[in-house]
Amino acid sequence: MATLLFIAALMAAAYSPQFTTADLKSSFEDNFSIMWSENHFKTSEDGDTWYLSLDKETGCGFQTKQRYRFGWFSMKLKLVGGDSAGVVTAYYMCSENGAGPERDEVDIEFLGNRTGEPYLIQTNVYKNGTGGREMRHMLWFDPTEDFHTYSFLWNDHQLVFFVDRVPIRVFKNNGKPNNFFPNEKPMYLFSSIWNADDWATRGGLEKTDWKKSPFVSTYKDFSVDGCQWKDPYPDCVSTTTSHWWDKYDAWHLSDSQKMDFSWVQRNLVIYDYCQDTERYPKLPVECSLSPSD
């Protein structure tokens, strides 16, 4: 494992991203609203760093004030350190403010663990309220020691999950009307910290140790370069190829990204629903789509 971590660190350091993003004011008030428990939210003195905390009473969460359909969405996070079993930090996009039955959603969930055990990152994709498309990965670093960048690239051709600009998951569209690729509804971006000790760590066997609370996740450097949804005549009704994230180069992984993605697939994947034939005797149709196409 130590060798894998060393190689991955070199890979991430040497990675040269193929795209750049637009500058955006990153103050919290410009971009976000608190969803609940405002007293569990704090900012640094300069306002550039944000803290969400969880204790036995409640967690906390925030969401963007705007909805977007397609684009690049990025944030730096530093996760709860120490014994974080049962604690989930969620970073996700969703078409609704709540878990509605018809929602589209794109999830990254960081699953806490006992001291010394690695964090796992779980991703999922929902369309019209149907998910069940989980993947779990190890990370090649300790996400509690420093900030790392977590990003979504979303267009009508693919949805890519990035960690420090390294693609860890590619979810493709097939170019036809379907029930798996979320491409019709605009979404907000959210983050929250909450207790999930009924399932998050070793299937719920490890419970949250409230003596270690409060548990704190830290954020900074939010960046978005996307199509903001404006009613009643949004610009995002159809793709236009007028933005870098909607041009041909963003419809596919680059050659260097394919190499990085292949490395992740070989070394860091813990669970892939497309490999779970016990759960899905007939695999979902999207499992036949190649992430390299």
Side-chain angles (χ1 to χ4, degrees):
M1 185 63 182
T3 301
L4 291 182
L5 293 173
F6 176 72
I7 293 172
L10 292 177
M11 177 181 72
Y15 182 70
S16 178
Q18 74 176 86
F19 19 76
T20 58
T21 60
D23 291 332
L24 180 77
K25 290 179 65 179
S26 58
S27 71
F28 188 88
E29 293 79 9
D30 287 335
N31 298 299
F32 299 101
S33 300
I34 299 293
M35 292 190 291
W36 81 94
S37 300
E38 190 166 350
N39 62 346
H40 285 59
F41 171 81
K42 294 182 180 179
T43 65
S44 60
E45 189 171 327
D46 60 11
D48 291 340
T49 306
W50 320 320
Y51 308 91
L52 296 186
S53 66
L54 166 71
D55 57 27
K56 198 169 185 178
E57 298 300 319
T58 187
C60 187
F62 60 78
Q63 70 173 74
T64 54
K65 295 179 178 179
Q66 305 297 334
R67 292 179 296 165
Y68 302 89
R69 181 172 180 259
F70 304 143
W72 171 265
F73 309 88
S74 185
M75 184 104 74
K76 290 183 179 178
L77 281 75
K78 183 165 67 171
L79 301 181
V80 175
D83 186 343
S84 59
V87 177
V88 170
T89 299
Y91 172 59
Y92 61 105
M93 300 184 70
C94 188
S95 60
E96 302 181 19
N97 291 322
E102 297 296 322
R103 74 191 186 279
D104 287 358
E105 185 172 326
V106 179
D107 289 340
I108 297 178
E109 293 177 320
F110 304 93
L111 310 183
N113 221 325
R114 289 290 175 225
T115 303
E117 297 295 320
Y119 261 83
L120 295 181
I121 180 171
Q122 175 169 288
T123 59
N124 201 353
V125 178
Y126 289 75
K127 181 167 184 177
N128 295 327
T130 300
R133 303 180 177 96
E134 297 92 346
M135 290 189 70
R136 287 190 177 187
H137 294 74
M138 294 186 296
L139 293 168
W140 56 91
F141 52 83
D142 183 344
T144 72
E145 291 185 346
D146 204 350
F147 287 94
H148 291 270
T149 305
Y150 305 90
S151 310
F152 303 104
L153 171 66
W154 178 34
N155 55 49
D156 199 33
H157 302 268
Q158 65 176 359
L159 173 62
V160 187
F161 300 74
F162 288 88
V163 177
D164 287 342
R165 301 295 187 112
V166 175
I168 66 164
R169 181 174 184 179
V170 180
F171 193 77
K172 302 291 285 191
N173 196 0
N174 64 359
K176 305 174 185 177
N178 61 63
N179 61 359
F180 61 85
F181 192 88
N183 61 344
E184 298 167 357
K185 301 172 184 176
M187 295 197 242
Y188 299 95
L189 186 139
F190 300 79
S191 192
S192 59
I193 185 170
W194 46 288
N195 178 44
D197 66 3
D198 57 334
W199 65 270
T201 307
R202 295 185 59 217
L205 295 177
E206 301 284 355
K207 299 301 182 181
T208 304
D209 184 354
W210 293 111
K211 296 191 297 293
K212 302 292 191 353
S213 68
F215 304 100
V216 179
S217 291
T218 311
Y219 304 77
K220 66 178 182 179
D221 295 350
F222 172 63
S223 177
V224 56
D225 187 354
C227 188
Q228 190 177 125
W229 189 268
K230 297 180 180 179
D231 291 321
Y233 302 110
D235 297 328
C236 314
V237 171
S238 61
T239 57
T240 63
T241 69
S242 60
H243 305 280
W244 68 265
W245 40 260
D246 198 21
K247 293 183 177 180
Y248 181 80
D249 285 349
W251 299 353
H252 319 272
L253 296 183
S254 67
D255 289 344
S256 62
Q257 288 173 337
K258 289 177 183 177
M259 292 178 61
D260 292 346
F261 179 73
S262 178
W263 186 92
V264 169
Q265 292 295 102
R266 292 194 308 270
N267 294 289
L268 300 179
V269 175
I270 301 297
Y271 174 81
D272 182 350
Y273 78 107
C274 283
Q275 304 296 324
D276 192 344
T277 54
E278 181 175 345
R279 181 183 181 191
Y280 296 108
K282 181 179 180 181
L283 290 178
V285 62
E286 68 269 18
C287 294
S288 65
L289 302 177
S290 171
S292 298
D293 290 344

